[in-house]
Every structure is written in structure tokens, then in C-alpha cells.
Amino acid sequence: MKTLEKPVPPGGTIGIIGGGQLGRMLSLAAARLGLKSCIYNDTPDAPAFQVTQNAVAALYDDLNMLAGFADACDAVTFEFENLPAHAIAHLAERVPVRPGAHALAMTQDRLTEKTFVEKLGLKTAPFFDVTSAEQAREAFGKLNGKGILKTRRFGYDGKGQAKVASADDTARAFESFKGAPSILEGFVDFSYEVSVVAARGADGAFAAYDPPHNEHENHILRRSTVPSQLTPAQVSEAKAMAKKIADALDYVGVLAVEMFVGKDGGLLVNEIAPRVHNSGHWTIEACQCSQFEQHIRAVAGWPLGDPVRHADAVMENIIGAEADAWEALARGGALHLYGKKESRPGRKMGHVTRLRGKA
Ligand code: AMP
């Protein structure tokens, strides 16, 4: 078993599980620091494979391939949080895994995650465990007329979610999820959404970016804008909440805490993403150290970089066929295209960041 008492030196290899756009941007950031990346993805056409010499295409529960991958790396991290727990344990027996198995387990499941957040004394939407249609009806009765049923695991970009407005609705939604364990959340009538993208180093150091205002369309992030309308006091509170979460998880790496800003100005935790996050892409152009470099630094045991923001910025996702207008988009700002062959509706094809003067 390799250990990481010392930082991974330049020339070392960071393993990245998942070869989508996040893996791709992590790999590019590693390269800038003189580190190599080895990327593991379950299909051979991964966007991140285009930017690394070390690509492994194998299933996420292929323990032999995972072992070989672990042996080729000095530390391993993730671009997505849904690797099966036994596969993470298998990796962790061979190589330092950052963030660790505990942090991933806590955040893979919405019920475990929300219970953990509540125990820390942070606010969330009211939530109830739902494992049967009967429980679904009962839970709805405890809400004030509106809720969202969410599968506990494997949901993203609105998948595995249904808005409900009656006990019957809730039972039907539960059945449409084919009985997958779920939680029913009270619908929060928030003013807007923000996120704190932050990093915790192997030495416990903490660094948070300015929280962006996030706008969604069809459950997919459309736009992140910095600065948000949060007051300085709310910004401090939001960052302190993220620090509390990161410390309690003994977290190493970048994480994102998505929050609702209530009509009364209070902050509610919606979700924790144990990885770099779409709402932090603007940090590439607008900050001294991007979220991708920051994550690689933390995983490699390097000192964290400075998250200071030197410009106001708006990041917009390029979704589906919008990527066909790449020439026009290239004129308007910092264009990132992820190298995906096909533009399916709802698929994130790239993003563009426009800087709006000095911060
Ligand atoms: P999630 O997958 O939990 O991040 O939810 C995706 C989006 O659905 C959030 O960014 C919100 O816009 C909306 N949403 C999720 N949960 C709630 C809630 N309890 N009340 C109101 N809107 C929600």
C-alpha cells in the first residue's frame, strides 16, 4: 500500500476516475503543474482521454483493472461520486484515495447526506425517508402542500426527481422510480441559488471561492455569476458552512455545497458534491488558482493555491445543439469545448466564461 506522507512530486501520476469534462479539465490542470494523469472511464470515447496518454477503459466494478490502475498512480481522485463502495474500498487498499471513502459514502446518498448536514446544525429543506408508496403518502402529509421526491442515489441534472403536490402524486412518483429508496423534501420557496466551491488540503487548510449565483433551466445549470447578490455577512456564513462540512468529513480536495437563499436571507444546504463542480468553471479565468488546479494540489498533497478572484465573471453552459454556434461563441469570451462527438439534447458540450471587469 502506497502512502502519501510527502506530496506527489512533479512527474508523479494522479489517477482520475471518470473521463468526462471534469476529468478533462482536471487532467489539463495537473499537466500545468508538471503532474501526469491516468484516467479511468467505462467507455473508450471519454472526452478526457483526448488529453492524457494514460487511459484505461474498463467497467467501474472491474476489480482487476482498478488494481492495475491503482498501481500506476500515486494518488487517485474522482470526477463523479457514484463509484460502487466496494470498488472505492478496493482502490483505497492500494493507493491514497482523495477525497476518501467516508466522504464519498456520506454524499452518495441524499438521506445520509441530509442527516449529516442537519446533525452539524446546518439548515436543509425538511426531508423524509420514503421506502414505500404508503410512506410516500404519509410523508407528504407532513409537508405544507408542495414537495420534491428524489431518489436517494444516482440522481443528477434533475434525473430521479419529481415535483409533487398531493399524496397521490407522491405515491405515483415513488412507483415511477420503480420503488427506488427515495426522500421527500419540502419545496423551498427560495429567492435564488448559490454554491460554495471550496478546498480542504491534506494539512487541513481551507480555501473557498466567492459563491456564484446559479441559474438552472430544465434542471441543468445554465449560468453562474460572480459576484452574487449575497451580502458580505452571508458570504462569510456560506463559506463557514462549507468549512464545517469539509472539516467534519475530514475532506481532502475540492467540494461544492449547493445552497438555497431563503426569502428571509437564511441559507439552506441543498446538496454536497464531493468533487469539482460546474458552478466553479469560471475560476479558470477569474481566479489566481482554478478549482481544477486547487483539487489537484489538494489530492497531490501540495499547498492550496490562492482562490482570490480578480474579475467579475459570468459562466454559461453550452448545451446540446448550442455547440453548433461555436464560431460565434468563440468571439464572445473564453470558450471551452469538451470534445464530445455527439450533441444530444441536455448534454453539456462546453462552456463560455465572460469576464466583466476587475473584481
Ligand atoms: P438537486 O438535484 O437536489 O441539486 O436539485 C436540482 C434543482 O432542483 C435545484 O438546484 C433546485 O433548483 C431544485 N430543487 C431541488 N430541491 C428543491 C427543494 N427542496 N425546493 C425547491 N427547489 C428544489
Side-chain angles (χ1 to χ4, degrees), residues 255-294:
L255 85 173
V257 183
E258 296 176 26
M259 298 178 190
F260 300 137
V261 185
K263 295 263 155 71
D264 61 355
L267 301 172
L268 275 71
V269 174
N270 174 35
E271 198 170 28
I272 305 165
R275 53 174 168 77
V276 287
H277 195 255
N278 195 170
S279 69
H281 289 1
W282 55 272
T283 61
I284 298 176
E285 285 82 17
C287 295
Q288 176 151 315
C289 175
S290 77
Q291 64 162 347
F292 299 101
E293 177 180 337
Q294 194 72 296

Side-chain angles (χ1 to χ4, degrees), residues 169-194:
D169 258 8
T170 316
R172 263 196 302 273
F174 177 74
E175 270 152 17
S176 78
F177 295 162
K178 303 196 166 58
S182 300
I183 63 169
L184 179 65
E185 288 182 19
F187 193 85
V188 180
D189 187 22
F190 54 79
S191 293
Y192 56 98
E193 294 180 81
V194 296

Side-chain angles (χ1 to χ4, degrees), residues 112-198:
T112 324
E113 177 181 87
K114 287 224 156 57
T115 309
F116 159 73
V117 168
E118 202 174 46
K119 280 202 185 125
L120 288 179
L122 306 177
K123 288 202 188 102
T124 67
F127 62 94
F128 302 94
D129 187 12
V130 173
T131 52
S132 68
E134 193 186 326
Q135 228 179 354
R137 288 173 189 283
E138 232 171 80
F140 185 83
K142 295 179 193 154
L143 302 181
N144 56 0
K146 259 184 6 185
I148 302 193
L149 189 74
K150 302 180 180 179
T151 55
R152 282 173 56 178
R153 296 173 64 96
F154 305 124
Y156 68 98
D157 288 349
K159 294 184 178 73
Q161 289 195 21
K163 272 194 199 166
V164 293
S166 71
D168 281 352
D169 258 8
T170 316
R172 263 196 302 273
F174 177 74
E175 270 152 17
S176 78
F177 295 162
K178 303 196 166 58
S182 300
I183 63 169
L184 179 65
E185 288 182 19
F187 193 85
V188 180
D189 187 22
F190 54 79
S191 293
Y192 56 98
E193 294 180 81
V194 296
S195 55
V196 179
V197 177

Side-chain angles (χ1 to χ4, degrees), residues 279-317:
S279 69
H281 289 1
W282 55 272
T283 61
I284 298 176
E285 285 82 17
C287 295
Q288 176 151 315
C289 175
S290 77
Q291 64 162 347
F292 299 101
E293 177 180 337
Q294 194 72 296
H295 187 69
I296 295 292
R297 280 173 175 254
V299 171
W302 290 29
L304 293 184
D306 190 341
V308 65
R309 179 170 67 79
H310 49 69
D312 294 351
V314 181
M315 184 287 313
E316 283 191 307
N317 274 333

